Amino acid sequence: MSIAIQTSKLTKVYEGSFRAQDVHALKELDLTINQGEIYGYLGPNGSGKTTTIKMMLGLLFPTSGTIEILGSSHVGSASVKRNIGYLPEGAYYPDFLKGEEILEYYGKLYGLGGKDLRRRMAETLELVGMTHARKRLLRGYSKGMRQRIGLAQALISDPAILILDEPTTGLDPIARKEIRDILANLRDKGKTLLISSHELLEVELICDRVGILFEGVLQAQGTLDELLQQRDVTVDVDGVDDAAVSKLAEKGLQVEDRVQSRAKLRVASAITAYEALELCRAFDLKLIGVAPRRETLEELFVRIVGAAQSTRRQ
Amino acid sequence: MGAFIDFFRGPWYIAVYTYREGIRKKTLIGFLILSLLVIFGASFISSYLDPTSETDIDLKLIKDICVATISIFGVLITIFISASVVPGEIENKVIYTILSKPVRRIQYLLGKFIGAQLIIIVNLLLMGVLFFAALYMRQGILPTLLLWSMLLTYFEFLIISAFTFAVSCASTSAVVPTIIGLFIYITGNLTEFLKDVQNRAGQSGKWFDDAIGWIANALYQVLPNLQNFSLKTQIINGQPNDPPTDVLIPNLMAYGTLYAVFGFLLAWVIFWRKEM
Amino acid sequence: MKRHQKWVLAGAMILILVLAAAQGRRVRHLRESEAFYRWMLAAAVNERLFQDESGQFKDKELFDRCNAGSQSLAGLAPAVAAPNEPAKDAAPANGEVSQIGQASQEYKNDPRIWALAQSSELADVRASFLKMARTRQLRFAQDIQYAEAEQSGVGLFNLFFGFRKVAANFIWIQVDRYWHQGENYRMIALMKTCTALDPHFVEAYLIGSWHLAYNVTAKMMDTPWPQRKWESRYGACVGEKEKYYYVAINFLKDGIRNNPRNYKLYFDLGFAVYKQKLKDYQNAVKYLSEAIRQPHDRWVPRQLFICQELNGQYAEALAGWEDYSRRFAETQTGQEVAPRFIKRNQGHLLEQQSEQAFAASAAASDPAEKERFRQEGLKLRGQAKDIYTVLGSTEGDGLRMRIEATELAEQKRYMEAVALLDKARWESAELWDDLSHRIMRYKAEGNLPISLSEQKEMEREKDAGLCEGIPQQERQRVLERNAKRL
């Protein structure tokens, strides 16, 4: 598997003006994005995600370190940018134009023209589900429609790499699902996608690999399987009462998510699943199911960021 | 040759879309309507004069007022447009979508600059056409001198536009460049005054005075002098002893172009490594 | 790579800036040359036509330097020699017109003068011109554009941002208002401000001088000669009313210096002021001749010919009319007006020649010679009479009767001559003054009683043109002229 984007020791310092302190936005970032995967680039606000993306596009310049995109280090040159589609966060588009005119404009900037351009326009509009609104002025678009047309302009040249900054922000659940499907579909076609997002659930659903950035440092990077700890087992039971809860806890079975008499019992590492089941039987609880408990991305995120925060505090 | 055309294709599309966007700006339309009102109103200025005297004086009044109106409103439009084409896109982040396309920064700048020039030229032409019509209705002959005057006016605007554009590239909003653009226009007209500073500064013979004089002279030599374009108001009335325009106009055009190129290069230097 | 690019860019910027500065120098050179060229034309016009010198200013000195340095104009003779006699103040002080002055006579030479103005030949003269103009040592470069900022701060020039012309226009509206309010003195001051702001505001000169020479003076009485005072500035005896004529003349002269190629200014000076108001046909002819040297309208030469006739230059007037009728054969004036004037001038010319013949006859000592001249005179007079008869109508008849009266007077039939002239002057109003003078002369010659009004007229005529403070030389000239007339 070849590498689509790789950064090494990428550092960005925003020089403070006058008496303000310098801001170290990125510290020796080593990022690797493989071709044909969806990479979730995560991090809290101000962690340096957008800075990284802008440097990849040549909008910002690294203080030190290098970026290689598809093997070329001429980041920001036309030949590299030709292979990238970019959907910026919260961007506006010339709103005196109609949906299809925007695509025509951006397509022309990619050097497309004539039949080729018209075919691509029709395809991308269809892909993002905007064919019905192609003749309308952008001024009258809803936020979701703008986001879709933004995605369409990023896709117009059928680029090998797509960089999407918060692609699903402000969309309703159905639209999110649709966008997700589109992105998954693109991956299946062999595109590389870099998605920067706060929407951890979204990312978890479609990303192959993630990187978690905090204060300019890549705290973790890997596939979801590598990163998410698959530590314990939960047992779903019915017929729990308060007395049972305290007794179970004594034995090392923690009750989570109790809704009336139903509860999830988390099996601590001290006891085995079999012992847990024995306990349930002893308390005469009705067994509904046994499942492995996998850490969510959210938990991972909170764990990693929390750890980083506490190290910094010390 | 192909590479050359390719290089200008991107800028051309950017220019066309900049033009299409710019021409819709409400402020611009406001300026245009105001100037058209003044040009139209100037036709009635002669009502202030003795109606019994049969002279060409009202014609001269219309010409002078219209040339001045075109200059003033044209300059406002020029400054407003040149100051806002780039910061406007930075502000609404459209620039990210464009610079992430296979477009070099110089191409982007060139496109924006050309787009701004298109807007300025079209506005100038609109005002000029009305003025032309007003004169034609009154005089009955085509006032061709007006064309030369408009041409000079444009080259004056070109200098102002290029420098304002350069300033706007360093800025993220259009307010500061607009103010600086006005400042450029005013100081550009006062360049002659530097000569006086030099003449006066050298009088005491002290080193500080001499230094001021030297600096004033250096600036005088280097800065563009917009007063050179005052020829535009001279030729409009077509007096038989006008200076030889066939020498002056091409030289002024070259003058305007050179300073515009300098202003554009300055914009490029500013924009070249600008962090967005 | 990036570093390399940076240097290339910096180099390109410096190169462009140097080129732009060089172009700026060139443009500045052109604008300075333009100012110099305009001043040179103004100085040339002044030297050739007005000889208006003032010790306070150094125009003449600088103009002499220009002439000394201008080798390239050598041998550039004026295409047309001055057609008229030099007027009383036409000859320059040094007796001849300088090279540039001669060249400037023809507007077609302007490119040559422009070339001279921007040539390196006159580089140091141009430099001193700029210096002198800035320090206001030159009268004809008072255009504030070249003047240094005033001690108090920024000059007017800088304040208007190149919209001086618009300012001039609005000031003109105020001038117009003052005129309607009858505020003449304010109007004059403002008119001058107006032309200072825009020295090429030709209409301001034209309308301003028209106001001064006509409208302001319309309600005033002619000042009787004894009440006038000699004004050396104008070189004339002036009263309250006449002063305005000369203010108008100077205003127009300013205009001519600033716009030497506009015929309207010459025309107004020659026709509207000198001919119509001052009845100074000599100067009228002088300026109208200048007017037709510039690109002009068709009706301009006609006034010149009329003034030439009034000034006694019949041959020139005749040639002019003949040329006119040839050139504009298809127009109404060419077909109807010109032939009448041609006839009249032919008559005048014959009459003049006949008088010369009679004078020669009177001067000749040989009787045969005397008789031959007399016969020739009679023949010419007969021809003149025939022409006048053919001309007919009021003007022809008046002129014919004038000849007949002369014949009667020669036969000592003064009473009949006077009666004939009296009849003629009632018929031809334009000859009134001339015929009245003749009546007085014949009455004096024939010892006929003169009327009271004629006596008064003669009293007035005796000291016409004389006033308090008139220089001796001028006084002598006027007295001789009066003696000749009576």
Side-chain angles (χ1 to χ4, degrees):
Chain A
M1 191 183 287
S2 52
I3 292 165
I5 304 175
Q6 185 166 39
T7 70
S8 68
K9 303 218 179 300
L10 189 64
T11 304
K12 178 69 191 175
V13 180
Y14 290 113
E15 277 172 36
S17 55
F18 194 40
R19 285 162 75 180
Q21 281 191 329
D22 288 0
V23 176
H24 292 264
L26 282 183
K27 292 164 196 156
E28 306 206 327
L29 182 75
D30 292 319
L31 205 64
T32 310
I33 299 165
N34 298 313
Q35 275 188 16
E37 70 178 10
I38 300 186
Y39 187 93
Y41 195 37
L42 313 174
N45 288 331
S47 58
K49 297 189 303 278
T50 304
T51 302
T52 320
I53 290 174
K54 282 182 176 175
M55 283 197 288
M56 286 173 183
L57 291 162
L59 294 170
L60 292 176
F61 302 95
T63 310
S64 66
T66 56
I67 304 174
E68 268 187 34
I69 295 175
L70 295 173
S72 165
S73 60
H74 293 294
V75 174
S77 72
S79 57
V80 170
K81 285 194 286 190
R82 199 173 295 280
N83 296 314
I84 305 178
Y86 172 52
L87 169 69
E89 179 191 1
Y92 293 83
Y93 302 94
D95 61 2
F96 61 93
L97 294 177
K98 291 171 189 154
E100 61 178 3
E101 285 174 333
I102 297 255
L103 294 188
E104 191 184 348
Y105 178 25
Y106 289 126
K108 278 176 177 168
L109 291 182
Y110 272 112
L112 296 173
K115 233 180 232 170
D116 236 16
L117 178 60
R118 275 197 295 281
R119 185 177 51 79
R120 280 300 303 163
M121 277 163 61
E123 277 175 17
T124 41
L125 281 168
E126 191 57 46
L127 191 65
V128 298
M130 288 291 288
T131 312
H132 64 97
R134 61 190 299 172
K135 297 277 185 205
R136 275 167 59 188
L137 278 180
L138 216 69
R139 193 171 299 164
Y141 275 19
S142 70
K143 198 171 177 190
M145 290 164 95
R146 275 168 191 266
Q147 199 69 5
R148 281 162 191 258
I149 210 78
L151 190 60
Q153 64 84 19
L155 290 169
I156 187 77
S157 71
D158 196 19
I161 299 175
L162 262 174
I163 298 177
L164 311 173
D165 207 347
E166 305 286 353
T168 53
T169 320
L171 299 184
D172 59 57
I174 296 170
R176 280 175 195 219
K177 169 82 171 71
E178 281 174 12
I179 298 265
R180 221 157 50 217
D181 291 347
I182 293 168
L183 297 183
N185 191 17
L186 285 169
R187 177 195 38 203
D188 296 343
K189 281 188 189 160
K191 309 284 177 206
T192 309
L193 284 87
L194 169 61
I195 299 174
S196 136
S197 185
H198 309 288
E199 307 274 343
L200 298 170
L201 191 64
E202 301 285 325
V203 173
E204 195 176 352
L205 285 169
I206 55 166
C207 287
D208 300 311
R209 290 172 73 233
V210 294
I212 295 177
L213 193 67
F214 179 68
E215 302 213 317
V217 179
L218 193 64
Q219 307 286 349
Q221 178 176 243
T223 60
L224 287 175
D225 291 339
E226 284 165 11
L227 291 177
L228 300 179
Q229 293 175 3
Q230 205 165 340
R231 294 176 296 192
D232 31 5
V233 173
T234 52
V235 182
D236 276 15
V237 288
D238 199 358
V240 182
D241 53 17
D242 290 342
V245 169
S246 54
K247 280 180 188 142
L248 283 172
E250 275 170 32
K251 302 285 181 188
L253 266 182
Q254 266 168 6
V255 178
E256 281 179 352
D257 300 345
R258 185 181 157 201
V259 182
Q260 290 175 337
S261 64
R262 274 188 72 161
K264 262 193 169 84
L265 302 179
R266 192 167 134 201
V267 183
S269 48
I271 53 170
T272 64
Y274 290 120
E275 284 166 340
L277 288 178
E278 289 295 319
L279 280 169
C280 290
R281 187 197 293 251
F283 285 101
D284 196 20
L285 299 176
K286 197 180 188 182
L287 188 67
I288 293 172
V290 180
R293 185 191 180 284
R294 186 170 126 162
E295 194 182 27
T296 63
L297 190 54
E298 189 176 302
E299 283 162 335
L300 174 72
F301 188 78
V302 171
R303 177 161 60 85
I304 287 173
V305 170
Q309 267 172 342
S310 60
T311 15
R312 194 189 57 174
R313 238 174 263 128
Q314 285 154 17
Chain B
M1 192 60 201
F4 187 76
I5 291 171
D6 274 351
F7 180 82
F8 283 102
R9 187 168 287 145
W12 177 246
Y13 295 135
I14 295 175
V16 168
Y17 280 85
T18 305
Y19 166 75
R20 286 181 60 183
E21 182 175 15
I23 211 76
R24 285 172 167 81
K25 283 208 168 111
K26 289 200 181 70
T27 334
L28 205 68
I29 294 169
F31 281 148
L32 202 59
I33 289 172
L34 266 178
S35 64
L36 298 187
L37 277 178
V38 176
I39 291 172
F40 186 62
S43 314
F44 298 102
I45 194 91
S46 50
S47 58
Y48 283 100
L49 290 169
D50 186 356
T52 57
S53 55
E54 293 266 325
T55 58
D56 289 343
I57 211 156
D58 49 347
L59 205 61
K60 180 188 150 63
L61 268 157
I62 295 170
K63 283 178 178 173
D64 286 350
I65 291 172
C66 286
V67 168
T69 308
I70 290 176
S71 288
I72 292 169
F73 285 101
V75 150
L76 288 178
I77 290 170
T78 300
I79 291 172
F80 182 72
I81 285 299
S82 313
S84 67
V85 280
V86 172
E89 289 214 330
I90 294 178
E91 232 166 51
N92 64 17
K93 299 186 181 175
V94 171
I95 194 169
Y96 297 143
T97 57
I98 292 171
L99 282 186
S100 60
K101 302 284 176 285
V103 169
R104 286 157 68 179
R105 288 195 170 194
I106 177 82
Q107 288 176 306
Y108 174 75
L109 271 194
L110 205 57
K112 282 283 155 190
F113 189 68
I114 294 170
Q117 299 315 310
L118 285 178
I119 299 170
I120 294 166
I121 289 170
V122 165
N123 278 292
L124 203 56
L125 283 180
L126 278 175
M127 291 192 280
V129 162
L130 195 83
F131 179 18
F132 204 86
L135 281 183
Y136 181 69
M137 285 191 299
R138 212 156 245 279
Q139 208 177 19
I141 51 168
L142 293 174
T144 41
L145 286 167
L146 176 69
L147 298 177
W148 292 113
S149 176
M150 300 285 287
L151 191 71
L152 283 180
T153 311
Y154 173 67
F155 276 90
E156 183 185 357
F157 290 173
L158 190 60
I159 295 182
I160 300 167
S161 172
F163 280 89
T164 311
F165 188 72
V167 172
S168 83
C169 284
S171 167
T172 50
S173 85
V175 180
V176 176
T178 306
I179 294 167
I180 293 178
L182 286 171
F183 186 72
I184 289 169
Y185 175 57
I186 294 168
T187 47
N189 270 302
L190 293 177
T191 310
E192 204 81 43
F193 193 55
L194 286 169
K195 196 75 192 160
D196 292 336
V197 173
Q198 190 208 357
N199 289 344
R200 274 152 209 283
Q203 282 168 1
S204 72
K206 289 192 180 121
W207 71 267
F208 184 71
D209 254 17
D210 286 345
I212 296 264
W214 191 86
I215 291 167
N217 185 41
L219 288 174
Y220 179 69
Q221 298 294 339
V222 161
L223 291 179
N225 184 357
L226 298 180
Q227 280 294 342
N228 285 335
F229 291 92
S230 63
L231 184 70
K232 67 177 188 254
T233 59
Q234 261 176 44
I235 57 173
I236 189 70
N237 284 303
Q239 293 299 345
N241 57 321
D242 276 341
T245 44
D246 54 335
V247 186
L248 281 165
I249 290 176
N251 270 298
L252 281 171
M253 280 163 68
Y255 182 68
T257 312
L258 280 170
Y259 272 107
V261 169
F262 178 76
F264 183 75
L265 284 180
L266 193 65
W268 188 24
V269 166
I270 292 166
F271 199 71
W272 184 36
R273 301 288 285 175
K274 184 179 164 79
E275 309 227 300
M276 233 82 59
Chain C
M1 167 67 190
K2 293 270 183 213
R3 202 175 173 78
H4 183 64
Q5 221 171 345
K6 201 183 279 181
W7 288 116
V8 170
L9 194 54
M13 278 185 69
I14 290 170
L15 180 71
I16 292 288
L17 192 61
V18 167
L19 282 176
Q23 183 64 17
R25 278 182 86 89
R26 165 133 190 85
V27 167
R28 201 176 320 135
H29 165 72
L30 286 173
R31 290 188 65 215
E32 284 168 2
S33 302
E34 183 204 327
F36 187 43
Y37 162 72
R38 284 184 183 281
W39 171 83
M40 225 150 52
L41 277 185
V45 164
N46 186 63
E47 179 205 55
R48 202 158 48 82
L49 296 177
F50 310 141
Q51 293 85 44
D52 204 347
E53 311 292 354
S54 167
Q56 187 189 345
F57 294 106
K58 295 182 179 161
D59 296 85
K60 173 108 186 87
E61 189 187 316
L62 192 66
F63 192 56
D64 289 345
R65 275 179 67 194
C66 288
N67 274 307
S70 61
Q71 299 307 318
S72 66
L73 279 183
L76 190 71
V80 190
N84 56 312
E85 296 275 300
K88 73 171 159 113
D89 56 357
N94 59 6
E96 73 182 46
V97 179
S98 66
Q99 277 185 66
I100 299 174
Q102 283 183 17
S104 75
Q105 216 168 37
E106 274 292 302
Y107 73 92
K108 289 194 184 73
N109 287 335
D110 282 1
R112 305 280 298 265
I113 299 175
W114 162 253
L116 179 69
Q118 64 154 330
S119 67
S120 53
E121 219 176 336
L122 288 185
D124 48 329
V125 185
R126 190 166 54 233
S128 28
F129 159 76
L130 289 167
K131 205 168 161 213
M132 288 161 98
R134 287 213 168 89
T135 46
R136 296 181 183 241
Q137 293 178 46
L138 297 177
R139 184 171 161 210
F140 306 139
Q142 287 281 299
D143 186 345
I144 42 189
Q145 188 166 344
Y146 317 118
E148 205 173 345
E150 289 295 343
Q151 287 295 324
S152 54
V154 185
L156 269 177
F157 166 63
N158 293 323
L159 281 177
F160 285 115
F161 294 110
F163 299 123
R164 292 186 298 140
K165 283 168 189 266
V166 180
N169 286 329
F170 285 116
I171 288 177
W172 187 260
I173 291 176
Q174 187 61 33
V175 168
D176 199 67
R177 197 169 294 156
Y178 278 147
W179 154 242
H180 286 288
Q181 291 167 353
E183 307 235 31
N184 294 335
Y185 286 102
R186 284 187 175 189
M187 181 183 83
I188 293 168
L190 215 52
M191 254 158 41
K192 289 189 172 160
T193 313
C194 191
T195 54
L197 282 168
D198 184 359
H200 310 297
F201 195 167
V202 174
E203 285 81 4
Y205 293 111
L206 295 176
I207 300 176
S209 65
W210 171 65
H211 277 325
L212 290 169
Y214 285 73
N215 300 334
V216 171
T217 54
K219 286 170 274 181
M220 297 173 157
M221 302 287 278
D222 281 348
T223 320
W225 284 99
Q227 284 177 27
R228 298 191 190 187
K229 283 208 174 69
W230 177 258
E231 184 65 77
S232 58
R233 251 189 311 171
Y234 307 138
C237 293
V238 294
E240 191 57 30
K241 178 180 181 177
E242 289 72 20
K243 227 184 257 176
Y244 283 103
Y245 298 150
Y246 287 96
V247 174
I249 286 171
N250 282 347
F251 196 52
L252 278 173
K253 282 181 174 176
D254 275 345
I256 288 174
R257 279 187 286 252
N258 286 325
N259 306 282
R261 295 297 175 234
N262 196 308
Y263 78 92
K264 288 182 188 165
L265 293 163
Y266 293 102
F267 181 80
D268 268 34
L269 184 58
F271 170 76
V273 186
Y274 275 121
K275 181 198 169 205
Q276 296 292 81
K277 285 291 165 183
L278 291 171
K279 311 250 179 287
D280 181 346
Y281 303 123
Q282 211 168 35
N283 273 314
V285 168
K286 174 177 163 186
Y287 293 115
L288 287 171
S289 315
E290 281 304 317
I292 62 159
R293 283 214 187 91
Q294 318 307 332
H296 58 267
D297 271 348
R298 211 171 60 198
W299 40 267
V300 180
R302 300 209 295 262
Q303 278 305 331
L304 171 66
F305 307 146
I306 290 169
C307 287
Q308 279 171 335
E309 187 187 332
L310 287 168
N311 199 31
Q313 297 167 262
Y314 305 126
E316 282 99 343
L318 181 61
W321 279 115
E322 278 170 346
D323 179 54
Y324 185 91
S325 70
R326 256 198 310 280
R327 272 193 297 154
F328 304 109
E330 77 287 359
T331 63
Q332 202 189 357
T333 33
Q335 286 165 356
E336 294 174 13
V337 182
R340 270 198 1 253
F341 278 102
I342 289 171
K343 285 221 172 61
R344 208 162 83 178
N345 277 299
Q346 281 168 342
H348 283 315
L349 207 57
L350 288 167
E351 211 180 332
Q352 197 180 34
Q353 283 164 356
S354 79
E355 260 152 42
Q356 277 160 2
F358 287 130
S361 159
S365 49
D366 181 18
E369 189 91 322
K370 230 181 178 65
E371 184 55 23
R372 196 172 60 76
F373 274 126
R374 205 179 76 85
Q375 286 307 325
E376 195 191 326
L378 285 172
K379 199 182 104 203
L380 287 165
R381 181 185 277 169
Q383 283 170 350
K385 227 159 84 176
D386 291 347
I387 284 172
Y388 289 147
T389 314
V390 172
L391 187 59
S393 86
T394 52
E395 48 182 332
D397 289 346
L399 290 166
R400 181 179 48 79
M401 284 192 266
R402 194 172 75 180
I403 295 180
E404 283 167 1
T406 315
E407 283 168 351
L408 288 169
E410 276 167 9
Q411 296 162 26
K412 314 270 183 223
R413 292 155 69 181
Y414 292 113
M415 197 97 94
E416 286 161 86
V418 167
L420 194 59
L421 285 173
D422 195 39
K423 179 171 178 269
R425 74 176 177 179
W426 286 105
E427 273 177 20
S428 309
E430 62 182 62
L431 294 172
W432 181 274
D433 283 354
D434 179 45
L435 297 179
S436 300
H437 281 127
R438 278 171 195 256
I439 288 173
M440 283 185 265
R441 198 166 82 204
Y442 293 149
K443 278 185 175 172
E445 278 175 26
N447 280 325
L448 298 171
I450 54 173
S451 71
L452 190 63
S453 61
E454 280 164 351
Q455 208 165 0
K456 274 186 181 169
E457 173 71 13
M458 285 166 86
E459 283 296 312
R460 270 204 299 277
E461 289 285 313
K462 233 187 296 177
D463 58 0
L466 295 178
C467 66
E468 195 187 318
I470 190 168
Q472 198 50 47
Q473 203 184 348
E474 185 70 16
R475 185 186 180 82
Q476 210 55 47
R477 216 176 58 83
V478 172
L479 285 174
E480 272 168 28
R481 192 191 62 198
N482 287 353
K484 209 171 96 184
R485 197 158 43 175
L486 288 174

